[in-house]
């Protein structure tokens, strides 16, 4: 998930009025739904002057709040900051949308110049002594305050954020922290642009019919279309994105081409060219460590975890290692079965990483009679989208209606009005951008363009889901893999977290929860995909329109924990390396050597690589969001597995209305108004247990 919400509270421009500005980015969103982005009016050349003007006016607004002669109160300080911020936050949201979805050479130059400006603004805000003094006085008065629980929570969040960013540091340290933040902003942008460049510039050419051997029809068609789009002489092209590479590694009978595809994908940011990220990431690590020490922490990991559920690096390492060992053992067992197939077929080689998905698929067919090529014809992207809507209606009482009179940033994007089925009230807009294109970063994510709130009128949220599915032939449905379908539901879970939000203050709204809790709502939503109710209604064969046979549904369920060793090791290895990197105090390292050494010490199976190798680990090097925090996916999955059992322990299973209501009331709707540990216990009646995770992955549960 990636949220396009500026880290600071944004203040609106004092120049914004009813009159329209000549620069459309400086106009507040207007029209229906409480205002919507005017994507049909924005131009790249508008960003720089708009950002500079809005920042100038934001600083003026901060100054007014800081110098209010009246004693600090919740209303004249905290609420004033919450109500402020529309214009600059809206500009920043659009800026982020372009950066993730429309990042061409023209925008990249603007991005490089403007990103440090936002960092400078953050520094001036968090280092504003008068603002912090006002917040501090309100925070100290909380024990005797008549504020309600949500208001008290908001004050605590403001106070802790300021302290965490150095509000109590001495003047010299503050100056250096500001410099570091600005330097990091530049490096984050460069890292992301390098990764995107390698994804765009490297690909696998399919030059003969033999090069297509083993590929399903939809993957073959997508490769042909990619070659046409690139105006290549090749018959087909496999793009250097996860959504193209992984199915190619799964189905291609050409081992030489699988190796080539694997190598271009895993070497992103690590090639001998101008886009090499190794020096950049070392600079990032050094600056983070320096900042953490200036803030009084031993390492960046200690600083990063100070506002999470995990609290300390030790807690995360203990969790990861408790799952790591059984996962590695499961991989060894699976590889043994795969190697038998290689030997049986007369292959004179040991399983390599570019073989893993290919032979795992063969084992799946042999052991569970589940063929991905038999499943995929039933997984139409649009039908699954309808299935997600149906689940949202059953579990969260939401309905979706496509609307056509809303401007979008690309013709691929569609917009849906989201309403509460019981009240009929509109609760938000959902933008859906499903397809890969040049200038769009790989992967799948959720954005919040605007948070739900009630502090300044009833403001509905605007969220989006963005994916990178490959278009096939025109007028033919897009078929996706089971893993891609799971990802689709996962990201939709983030969107529902925003759409279900019902809080007063935007800072506490939707997905603005601790990083290692935010993945819980998305991960639990994945569970609904495999239910017979979804598969029978929405897993319809693209040619016959017949539902997936129950025999196939049952085989899918029987194979549901197949290859969990691979996915667990692939993910946790990345999380372990992330955490270890950010605990280092001596950063005179070679990233490639450090990665290899660390994985060897962990007994990483040689047949698997990290899901995100260090030079392409955008989660932790394109911003601070998941730095020393990639473990959060596992942490949240512990909670998700435990929460799922709240449903499965009942006869209605995942469609139990009473449990659904508790999930809505205590998780999806409350944002960060309640401490997650408290809100989860209110939902479940107890703290989550790792035993549920082990059961869900078919790993042995320790006694």
């Amino acid at each position: 998930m990636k949220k396009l919400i500026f880290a600071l509270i944004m203040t609106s421009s004092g120049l914004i009025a009813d009159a329209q500005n000549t620069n459309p980015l400086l106009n507040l969103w207007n029209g229906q739904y409480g205002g919507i982005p005017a994507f049909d009016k924005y131009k790249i050349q508008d960003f720089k002057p708009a950002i500079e003007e809005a920042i100038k006016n934001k600083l003026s607004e901060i100054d007014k709040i800081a110098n209010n002669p009246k004693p600090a109160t919740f209303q004249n300080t905290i609420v004033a900051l919450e109500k402020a911020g529309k214009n600059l936050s809206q500009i920043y949201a659009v800026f982020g949308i372009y950066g993730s979805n429309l990042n061409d050479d023209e925008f990249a130059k603007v991005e490089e110049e403007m990103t440090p400006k936002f960092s400078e603004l953050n520094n001036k805000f968090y280092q504003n002594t008068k603002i912090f003094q006002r917040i501090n006085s309100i925070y100290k008065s909380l024990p005797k305050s008549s504020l309600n629980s949500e208001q008290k929570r908001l004050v605590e969040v403001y106070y802790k954020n300021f302290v965490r960013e150095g509000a109590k540091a001495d003047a010299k340290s503050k100056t250096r922290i500001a410099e570091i933040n600005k330097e990091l902003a530049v490096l984050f942008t460069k890292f992301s642009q390098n990764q995107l460049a390698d994804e765009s510039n490297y690909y696998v050419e399919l030059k003969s019919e033999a090069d297509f051997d083993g590929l399903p029809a939809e993957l073959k068609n997508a490769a042909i279309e990619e070659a046409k789009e690139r105006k290549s002489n090749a018959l087909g092209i496999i793009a250097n994105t996860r959504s193209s590479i992984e199915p190619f590694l799964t189905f291609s009978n050409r081992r030489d081409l699988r190796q080539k595809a694997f190598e271009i994908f895993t070497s992103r940011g690590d090639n001998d060219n101008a886009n090499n990220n190794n020096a950049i990431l070392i600079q990032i690590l050094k600056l983070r460590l320096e900042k953490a020490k200036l803030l009084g922490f031993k390492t960046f990991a200690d600083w990063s975890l100070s506002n999470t559920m995990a609290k300390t690096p030790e807690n995360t390492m203990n969790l990861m290692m408790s799952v790591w060992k059984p996962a590695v053992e499961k991989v060894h067992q699976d590889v043994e079965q795969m190697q038998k197939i290689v030997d049986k077929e007369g292959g004179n080689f040991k399983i390599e990483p570019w073989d893993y998905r290919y032979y795992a698929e063969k084992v799946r067919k042999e052991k569970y009679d589940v063929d991905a090529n038999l499943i995929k014809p039933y997984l139409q992207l649009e039908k699954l989208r309808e299935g997600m809507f149906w689940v949202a209606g059953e579990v969260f009482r939401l309905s979706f209606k496509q609307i056509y009179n809303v401007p979008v940033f690309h013709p691929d994007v569609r917009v849906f009005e989201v309403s509460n089925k019981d009240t009929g009230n509109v609760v938000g807009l959902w933008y859906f951008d499903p397809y890969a294109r040049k200038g769009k970063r790989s992967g799948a994510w959720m954005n919040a363009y605007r948070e739900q709130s009630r502090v300044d009128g009833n403001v509905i949220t605007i969220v989006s889901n963005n994916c990178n599915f490959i278009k096939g032939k025109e007028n033919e449905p897009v078929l996706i893999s089971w893993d891609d379908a799971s990802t689709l539901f996962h990201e939709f879970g983030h969107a529902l977290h925003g759409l279900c939000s019902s809080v007063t203050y935007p800072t506490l709204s939707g997905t603005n929860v601790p990083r290692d809790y935010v993945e819980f709502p998305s991960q639990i939503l994945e569970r609904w995909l495999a239910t017979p109710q979804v598969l029978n209604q929405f897993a319809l064969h693209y040619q016959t329109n017949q539902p997936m046979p129950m025999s196939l549904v049952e085989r899918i369920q029987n194979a549901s924990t197949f290859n969990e060793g691979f996915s667990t090791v692939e993910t946790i290895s990345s999380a372990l390396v992330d955490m270890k990197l950010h605990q280092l105090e001596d950063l005179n390292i070679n990233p490639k050597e450090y990665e290899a050494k660390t994985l060897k010490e962990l007994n990483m199976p040689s047949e698997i690589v990290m899901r995100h190798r260090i030079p392409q680990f955008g989660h932790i090097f394109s911003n601070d969001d998941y730095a020393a925090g990639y473990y959060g996916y596992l942490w949240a999955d512990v909670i998700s597995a435990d929460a799922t059992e709240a449903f499965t322990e009942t006869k209605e299973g995942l469609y139990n209305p009473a449990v659904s209501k508790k999930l809505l009331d205590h998780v999806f709707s409350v944002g960060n108004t309640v401490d997650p540990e408290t809100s989860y216990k209110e939902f479940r009646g107890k703290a989550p247990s790792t035993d549920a995770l082990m059961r869900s992955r078919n790993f042995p549960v320790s006694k």
Side-chain angles (χ1 to χ4, degrees), residues 330 368 561-562 564 692-701:
K330 184 68 168 60
Y368 296 101
T561 59
F562 173 75
E564 279 291 352
L693 176 72
M694 304 300 275
R695 285 190 289 269
S696 74
R697 300 193 178 194
N698 199 27
F699 294 164
V701 177

Side-chain angles (χ1 to χ4, degrees), residues 637-648:
D637 213 20
V638 168
I639 304 172
S640 173
D642 187 80
T644 301
E645 292 190 348
F647 285 94
T648 57

Side-chain angles (χ1 to χ4, degrees), residues 77-136:
T77 301
I78 304 298
V79 173
L81 290 170
E82 287 292 286
K83 284 186 176 182
K86 286 184 180 178
N87 188 228
L88 190 52
S89 61
Q90 289 176 357
I91 292 172
Y92 186 76
V94 176
F95 182 77
I97 291 164
Y98 272 69
S100 293
N101 300 280
L102 303 167
N103 203 323
D104 58 13
D105 291 342
E106 183 185 4
F107 181 79
K109 294 175 183 176
V110 177
E111 187 179 36
E112 287 179 18
E113 185 178 0
M114 289 294 104
T115 300
K117 302 288 187 183
F118 292 109
S119 179
E120 289 176 11
L121 182 58
N122 268 6
N123 292 331
K124 290 177 181 178
F125 180 71
Y126 282 120
Q127 296 190 5
N128 188 306
T129 303
K130 291 181 179 179
I131 288 283
F132 179 63
Q133 286 173 345
R134 296 181 73 84
I135 293 170
N136 188 37

Side-chain angles (χ1 to χ4, degrees), residues 192-209:
S192 299
Q193 290 181 347
N194 285 349
Q195 184 175 340
L196 183 61
D198 273 3
E199 288 172 353
S200 299
N201 297 334
Y202 290 85
Y203 46 84
V204 176
E205 291 185 329
L206 307 180
K207 299 178 180 179
S208 68
E209 283 298 325

Side-chain angles (χ1 to χ4, degrees), residues 407-421:
V408 294
F409 58 82
H410 189 277
D412 287 344
V413 180
R414 284 167 284 162
V415 185
F416 295 79
E417 175 188 285
V418 188
S419 303
N420 182 287
K421 290 174 71 172

Side-chain angles (χ1 to χ4, degrees), residues 513-636:
V513 297
R515 185 184 57 238
D516 49 5
Y517 191 69
V518 74
E519 297 296 336
F520 157 43
S522 57
Q523 287 178 337
I524 194 172
L525 201 81
E526 294 179 38
R527 268 62 175 189
W528 273 271
L529 169 62
T531 60
Q533 292 91 327
V534 169
L535 296 179
N536 289 336
Q537 294 181 79
F538 304 102
L540 305 180
H541 196 284
Y542 79 103
Q543 292 174 320
T544 67
N545 209 38
Q546 293 299 305
M548 187 179 287
M550 278 307 299
S551 59
L552 182 55
V553 173
E554 290 169 0
R555 297 202 302 274
I556 289 172
Q557 290 174 332
N558 291 337
S560 62
T561 59
F562 173 75
N563 222 23
E564 279 291 352
F566 171 82
S567 59
T568 303
V569 165
E570 183 190 47
T571 301
I572 297 183
S573 60
S574 295
L576 285 165
V577 170
D578 166 37
M579 191 58 64
K580 287 177 176 289
L581 272 174
H582 286 106
Q583 290 183 85
L584 290 176
E585 294 183 77
D586 179 2
L587 286 163
N588 294 312
I589 60 170
N590 176 301
K592 186 175 291 189
E593 292 174 359
Y594 180 82
E595 179 182 303
K597 177 175 177 290
T598 302
L599 295 178
K600 183 178 180 181
E601 291 170 351
L602 289 168
N603 295 316
M604 176 79 165
S606 63
E607 301 85 2
I608 302 179
V609 297
M610 297 164 60
R611 184 169 180 82
H612 305 284
R613 288 196 54 243
I614 296 175
Q616 61 209 222
F617 207 162
H619 280 77
I620 68 173
F621 291 119
S622 62
N623 51 56
D624 279 338
D625 289 354
Y626 282 84
Y630 197 69
Y631 77 91
Y633 285 95
L634 179 64
W635 190 276

